[in-house]
Amino acid sequence: MPAALCAMDRALIVLVREGNVLLWEEFRDEFKKDFWRSLPLGLLFGGLLFLGYFLLSLGMGNFGTFLGPMFFAFGLFAIGLALGRGSYAFLMRAMFDLPNGQILKNANGMSALRGGRGWLPIVVHGVGFLFGFSFFPYTLIVIALFGISLPQYLICYLLNDPIQNAGVALAAPVLLAFNAINNLFGVGSSSMMSRALGRRDYETVYKSSAFGFYSSILCGLLFSLLCTVFAGPLLGLLGADETTYDATMGYMFWTVNLGAMPAILNVVMAYLVRAEGASLHASLGTMSGCLLNIVLDPIFILPWGFDMGAAGAGLATFLSNCVACLYFFVLLYVKRGRTYVSIHPKMYRWKKEIVLGVFGVGVPASIQNLLNVTGMTVLNNFTAAYGANAVAAMGIAQKINQVPMQISMGVSQGIMPLISYNYASRNVSRMKGTLLFTVKIALSFMVAVALGYFFFAGPLTEMFMSNPDVVAYGAAFLRGFCLGLPFLSIDFLAVGVFQA
């Protein structure tokens, strides 16, 4: 690992200085040369990272005692030290032929010099967020939490029915699989469009948008057909048993069997609109569906309305996605002649350059989401062995954890058109400035949310369901999930930049 990091740093330095590099050959040569020299650094910072995770685990296991928070704080400090000092050490090992002692000394000085300026805003923003979260529980983060997780909240808290909640939780991997198609055609087409706009190749822009639009419709219909034909085996794979089968099937009927196409299409259209810089309209279109979902959920779910339970949540989601699609159709009609997004059938062609350009970016993004689906399915199957309460708690923790994840994903998607356009037009300084500013904002937010989730995991879970077993399970799950949030924010940004 340290040799690979040093080799990659050195290859990238050559790329920046000379403008081109045979990446694999450079990487292989540098890896062989740097292996033994970088090994001590790897053992040092790898051991420090392991110590940090061990202290975090020890702190979580003893969080009810005085020593728990202290171990947790030391663990965070050790991880931050390993990542901060280690990154500079590996970079300097790649740049300079110096002894390891001198490398460490220079890395400490550089990280202190640069980190004091770079991390001060992060600390200030984090403390401010925690203050607002602690003293004003009905702030925007809680509103966002209820808005995104309202179906789960209504089913859990107002109906107090773990079985209905478990049905929604078990169906979550299938809905997450929509993102694989969204990313395949949404991310791929929007990246192709932005790069073509930077080159002023408008014909490619039109063909790329039409390809993404019609391909997402076809895949959405195919997805619905397959899930309808193989509903029985699919529910078994998701972990549904005789207790949760009806609730899971009722929710999936509306959201998947009938709703896959509008759910996929409205997200892909948001990507296409965002690719030409209309981020506001992309957000408004998506939010229109969310707001309608908030209004319709109580009507379809609760006893004073249609009393449909989990199936009602699915119906509300289906109608909301249809309205979001309608918003984008109206937008394209109003902006006809002034937009680069084309949905004209004659522009839909499976041309080699379009297909390779879209799939080259979209397939890796799609695979990433499919791996998330696989992980969630396995996790739900393991959790199902502990009963409906554990599955309900897992669903609650996942929904709460989705709020910062979706925000971080939105930030990474929001900068993609700007990164693509500036990359295509060779405006590297503006591209780097955009990326560094976004990293500071996203990382400070995610660190603050992770701390808030860790310390308030119990109360947050209890807002959804007052069952003591569910609260105990959910708090433990949420504390585990929140540890990965800062790393996920960097992951989303890195993936977004390379996709752009």
Side-chain angles (χ1 to χ4, degrees), residues 281-405:
H281 283 296
S283 300
L284 289 176
T286 305
M287 286 303 299
S288 64
C290 293
L291 294 175
L292 181 62
N293 202 359
I294 293 174
V295 174
L296 294 180
D297 272 328
I299 299 174
F300 291 118
I301 295 174
L302 297 180
W304 55 262
F306 290 92
D307 194 18
M308 296 173 64
L315 176 56
T317 302
F318 168 69
L319 294 176
S320 302
N321 287 330
C322 291
V323 169
C325 289
L326 181 62
Y327 175 92
F328 288 114
F329 283 124
V330 172
L331 174 67
L332 295 181
Y333 177 78
V334 172
K335 294 181 65 177
R336 64 191 185 280
R338 296 180 291 113
T339 178
Y340 295 108
V341 179
S342 174
I343 59 173
H344 199 288
K346 72 177 184 179
M347 289 293 178
Y348 181 51
R349 296 288 186 273
W350 282 73
K351 291 187 175 294
K352 181 179 179 180
E353 60 273 14
I354 300 296
V355 174
L356 292 179
V358 172
F359 282 15
V361 175
V363 169
S366 179
I367 291 174
Q368 182 186 23
N369 275 279
L370 288 176
L371 292 175
N372 291 336
V373 171
T374 303
M376 184 178 289
T377 304
V378 172
L379 192 61
N380 283 343
N381 273 275
F382 286 152
T383 309
Y386 294 89
N389 284 342
V391 176
M394 179 61 71
I396 293 171
Q398 288 172 345
K399 285 293 189 297
I400 297 174
N401 198 54
Q402 276 183 6
V403 176
M405 282 181 60

Side-chain angles (χ1 to χ4, degrees), residues 31-303:
F31 181 88
K32 292 179 180 179
K33 183 170 65 175
D34 277 332
F35 182 82
W36 293 109
R37 292 194 306 166
S38 58
L39 185 60
L41 293 176
L43 292 174
L44 172 64
F45 290 108
L48 190 60
L49 199 62
F50 172 80
L51 176 64
Y53 276 111
F54 174 76
L55 290 174
L56 283 181
S57 176
L58 197 62
M60 291 176 63
N62 298 274
F63 203 75
T65 67
F66 171 77
L67 294 176
M70 185 177 67
F71 285 138
F72 187 82
F74 280 125
L76 285 178
F77 177 78
I79 291 176
L81 194 64
L83 296 177
R85 299 294 193 271
S87 59
Y88 280 105
F90 291 135
L91 182 60
M92 289 185 178
R93 166 53 65 208
M95 295 177 65
F96 306 114
D97 188 14
L98 296 173
N100 284 328
Q102 192 67 31
I103 290 288
L104 287 175
K105 183 178 179 180
N106 291 335
N108 290 335
M110 285 296 295
S111 59
L113 179 65
R114 300 285 298 177
R117 290 182 293 177
W119 286 92
L120 180 61
I122 295 177
V123 174
V124 172
H125 292 158
V127 171
F129 176 83
L130 284 177
F131 180 85
F133 188 87
S134 302
F135 290 93
F136 303 96
Y138 298 104
T139 49
L140 288 177
I141 185 63
V142 180
I143 294 173
L145 175 66
F146 283 136
I148 295 177
S149 304
L150 187 65
Q152 196 100 27
Y153 176 76
L154 292 171
I155 293 171
C156 295
Y157 189 79
L158 300 181
L159 294 181
N160 202 26
D161 189 345
I163 295 175
Q164 297 291 322
N165 176 56
V168 176
L170 290 173
V174 183
L175 272 65
L176 190 62
F178 290 168
N179 290 338
I181 303 176
N182 296 341
N183 284 348
L184 178 60
F185 297 111
V187 174
S189 297
S190 64
S191 176
M192 188 81 170
M193 289 173 63
S194 296
R195 283 180 278 127
L197 283 170
R199 301 191 305 269
R200 290 177 170 79
D201 182 3
Y202 300 119
E203 186 70 16
T204 300
V205 178
Y206 297 142
K207 292 179 179 178
S208 300
S209 58
F211 181 82
F213 176 80
Y214 287 104
S215 297
S216 64
I217 291 178
L218 294 175
C219 286
L221 294 175
L222 180 62
F223 195 101
S224 293
L225 179 62
L226 292 175
C227 288
T228 302
V229 173
F230 300 103
L234 177 60
L235 289 173
L237 181 64
L238 294 172
D241 54 21
E242 62 275 2
T243 306
T244 57
Y245 184 92
D246 291 338
T248 308
M249 188 65 223
Y251 184 72
M252 285 183 56
F253 175 75
W254 292 105
T255 56
V256 180
N257 297 357
L258 295 182
M261 194 270 286
I264 292 169
L265 184 61
N266 89 83
V267 177
V268 171
M269 293 186 74
Y271 273 113
L272 301 181
V273 169
R274 190 184 291 116
E276 63 174 357
S279 298
L280 177 61
H281 283 296
S283 300
L284 289 176
T286 305
M287 286 303 299
S288 64
C290 293
L291 294 175
L292 181 62
N293 202 359
I294 293 174
V295 174
L296 294 180
D297 272 328
I299 299 174
F300 291 118
I301 295 174
L302 297 180

